[in-house]
Amino acid sequence: MNSTRRTFVASSLALGAWPGIVLAQDKWPSRPLRIVSGGSAGGGSDMFVRVLETRLRERLGQPLYIDNKPGAGGMLAAGLTSSSPPDGHTYFVSNLATNAIGLALYAKPTFDPTKELPAVARISTLTNAVAVRADSGIDSIGALIARMKADPEKVFYGSAGVGTSSHLGGHMFVQRVGVPGKHVPYKGTAANLTALLAGEVMFSMDNLPLYVQQVKAGKLRLLAVTQSKRALNYPEVPTVQEAAGIGAFDVFSWYGLSASTGTPNAILERFGGEIVAALKDPGIAAAVRELGAEPAPLGPAEYQAFMQDEIRKWSPVVKSSGASVG
């Protein structure tokens, strides 16, 4: 958002001049809630919202509908939401790519997540995992590191694209190991998985659910999860941090909701509180885990602080990787 529009929003809020803003606070929500997603229909962003939709509809008296606006790695959807009226009826599925990595990755980001798109609630976290072909002869993260050091010219790692957590996590890993691994970006997670199965890369570090079916089929092996704590569904799989001997390592994706710029705090608190309460319901928590993620509820203030921490964490990683868009 440019400074002229930001000033206009602030002035409008102070004077109560934005159409519908008083109504939004007194009778919110007065119509269905629009949830703008930067992913394609049926993707991860959509699934976490759908898990919550029934509970939130019952509590708020209005349905939620997903408006998919893919493009520019989710930054298009973020920008559209940011400039929507601040009446509490338009939200964005905020996530690691757009609200943390994107600020450093894009030369001209369409919004500033530290000043725009105020936080509503964090919904979930989703660990990545280091995976290799089952027939690679690599049976542990230590064995992978030994292979990398023994044959550094063959250290290729795949990702779902430049600037994704699979790219930057892989970059952090090879940097810590001390081997100049070669990044091979593919067009999305499906293509990255196909490349790993075909033996085009030595390993990849994408979202854990991507690998589950191929692990069950005996085609891939999980070596470690990248979050600093073990995954509840795979307690036998160690973390990179505990098994690799390369220091602190905590790579994971996350999803939540953010509001259009200028949305009143009363609405943020009400909506955020409903989401946090919903995620404490055992049935909803189980549904989130069925998607391969963990419920990770944070209210507005905590989620905003978390995102600022993530920006500080990922900015130097993006810069050291040399990744840049636009």
Side-chain angles (χ1 to χ4, degrees):
M1 177 187 287
N2 59 42
S3 59
T4 301
R5 175 178 157 71
R6 191 176 293 116
T7 301
F8 176 59
V9 169
S11 301
S12 298
L13 291 177
L15 299 173
W18 196 296
I21 196 68
V22 176
L23 175 64
Q25 295 183 69
D26 292 345
K27 298 183 179 180
W28 179 87
S30 60
R31 61 179 186 274
L33 300 180
R34 176 193 181 205
I35 312 297
V36 182
S37 167
S40 300
S45 297
D46 295 15
M47 292 188 293
F48 294 117
V49 175
R50 294 188 194 285
V51 165
L52 296 169
E53 200 278 334
T54 298
R55 165 70 176 257
L56 294 176
R57 176 165 24 95
E58 292 171 352
R59 292 286 301 168
L60 300 175
Q62 293 287 349
L64 284 65
Y65 71 95
I66 298 171
D67 185 3
N68 294 99
K69 298 290 185 181
M75 300 298 278
L76 172 63
L80 289 173
T81 307
S82 175
S83 60
S84 295
D87 59 8
H89 290 84
T90 301
Y91 297 88
F92 171 64
V93 185
S94 41
N95 58 83
L96 170 64
T98 55
N99 291 62
I101 292 173
L103 192 61
L105 180 66
Y106 287 85
K108 297 180 179 179
T110 56
F111 78 108
D112 182 347
T114 65
K115 299 176 182 178
E116 303 170 69
L117 289 178
V120 177
R122 189 177 71 175
I123 297 172
S124 62
T125 59
L126 177 63
T127 187
N128 285 16
V130 183
V132 297
R133 279 175 49 133
D135 61 1
S136 65
I138 300 171
D139 60 4
S140 69
I141 198 76
L144 173 62
I145 292 173
R147 177 77 63 87
M148 292 167 65
K149 290 182 175 180
D151 202 352
E153 291 301 314
K154 293 183 179 179
V155 180
F156 293 89
Y157 63 96
S159 82
V162 173
T164 60
S165 64
S166 53
H167 166 210
L168 298 175
H171 167 71
M172 287 174 61
F173 181 68
V174 298
Q175 195 175 49
R176 297 278 186 85
V177 171
V179 174
K182 302 173 183 66
H183 171 227
V184 185
Y186 293 93
K187 294 182 178 180
T189 55
N192 187 30
L193 175 62
T194 299
L196 180 61
L197 289 167
E200 294 178 13
V201 293
M202 182 180 287
F203 71 92
S204 70
M205 191 181 285
D206 218 328
N207 294 154
L208 174 59
L210 178 70
Y211 303 125
V212 170
Q213 293 304 316
Q214 300 299 332
V215 170
K216 290 179 178 178
K219 295 181 179 180
L220 292 180
R221 177 178 292 119
L222 295 180
L223 303 182
V225 295
T226 62
Q227 201 161 0
S228 61
K229 59 183 179 181
R230 294 195 181 200
L232 290 180
N233 289 343
Y234 291 87
E236 74 284 1
V237 179
T239 68
V240 169
Q241 181 168 295
E242 68 182 288
I246 57 174
F249 201 91
D250 195 18
V251 174
F252 58 96
S253 297
W254 42 267
Y255 295 90
L257 288 185
S258 295
S260 56
T261 305
T263 298
N265 285 335
I267 292 177
L268 300 178
E269 292 292 339
R270 169 78 194 285
F271 197 15
E274 293 291 353
I275 292 171
V276 168
L279 289 165
K280 294 179 180 178
D281 179 281
I284 292 176
V288 171
R289 292 189 177 104
E290 282 292 316
L291 298 174
E294 278 297 312
L298 291 177
E302 295 82 5
Y303 186 32
Q304 189 71 32
F306 167 80
M307 287 192 284
Q308 290 172 339
D309 285 343
E310 287 288 280
I311 290 169
R312 287 189 287 269
K313 169 183 171 180
W314 286 103
S315 179
V317 178
V318 174
K319 290 177 182 176
S320 71
S321 75
S324 180
V325 177

